Amino acid sequence: MNELEKCMAGEYYNCHDKIFIEFKTQTRELLQAYNALAYEQKEEKVNILKRLFGRIGTNVSVGLPFICDYGRNIYLGNNVSVNMNCTFVDCNEIIIGDNVLIASNVQLYTAAHPVELSERLTPDWHPGREEYFCRTYALPIKIGNGCWLGGGVIVLPGVTIGDGCVIGAGSVVTKDIPPNSLAVGNPCRVIRKINEEI
């Protein structure tokens, strides 16, 4: 299994492998061009996003500036609005459904490191070794149809947010949120069900 396959499988991988460096180089060039565009250059923006993302639906808006690792692992549905200053660390897949609002300063993180130091450090690592000193893994993030993530929300690796959810501003989502939930806080917790009349 190569490093890219390990990454997508949620296993430890070398995030400094040359394949990831090549992807990041391509992505940085696209992001530099994207973030330099004027607000009204909608056609140019869509053209770059089609090259950057794994999939982009219709009626999608991504505010400036926007930051991501690779872009190729981001899949956006139809009618998606991503406001300014968002960061998507897409080492694994970030799948966003239809009719989704993502407010300013939202951060979606698929990559993580083990909590225990003995697991986090790369075995037999020493300063002359080319491999990165700590282990990295990545898990997908899924955001369902009809969701709204408030300003400054942080979503951690492996989280699924169900259809119709609203995540309150400043929340840190550490575990799955069931469909049609209003959830807030750090860590984010469901406070009530919503959309019951639909």
Side-chain angles (χ1 to χ4, degrees), residues 12 113-123 133-135:
Y12 296 134
H113 309 285
V115 171
E116 295 293 330
L117 179 60
S118 61
E119 294 176 30
R120 190 164 59 250
L121 295 175
T122 301
F133 74 92
C134 71
R135 291 176 165 173

Side-chain angles (χ1 to χ4, degrees), residues 70-197:
Y70 306 110
R72 66 183 57 234
N73 294 324
I74 299 171
Y75 300 87
L76 301 182
N78 300 318
N79 308 315
V80 174
S81 176
V82 178
N83 212 319
M84 63 184 171
N85 207 40
C86 289
T87 301
F88 291 9
V89 180
D90 64 312
C91 301
N92 207 313
E93 292 180 339
I94 295 175
I95 300 171
I96 297 172
D98 298 334
N99 308 313
V100 173
L101 297 173
I102 296 179
S104 301
N105 301 305
V106 167
Q107 301 165 60
L108 307 180
Y109 295 123
T110 65
H113 309 285
V115 171
E116 295 293 330
L117 179 60
S118 61
E119 294 176 30
R120 190 164 59 250
L121 295 175
T122 301
D124 303 321
W125 182 85
H126 58 82
R129 196 169 165 189
E130 289 187 20
E131 190 171 8
Y132 192 51
F133 74 92
C134 71
R135 291 176 165 173
T136 302
Y137 66 94
L139 300 171
I141 290 173
K142 296 178 184 173
I143 299 170
N145 298 324
C147 289
W148 171 24
L149 277 60
V153 165
I154 297 173
V155 181
L156 297 186
V159 166
T160 294
I161 297 174
D163 292 348
C165 286
V166 174
I167 309 298
S171 296
V172 179
V173 188
T174 61
K175 61 181 181 178
D176 292 354
I177 303 295
N180 299 308
S181 297
L182 173 61
V184 300
N186 179 6
C188 190
R189 294 180 182 89
V190 174
I191 58 171
R192 69 178 173 94
K193 299 300 285 181
I194 56 175
N195 306 321
E196 293 178 351
E197 68 281 353

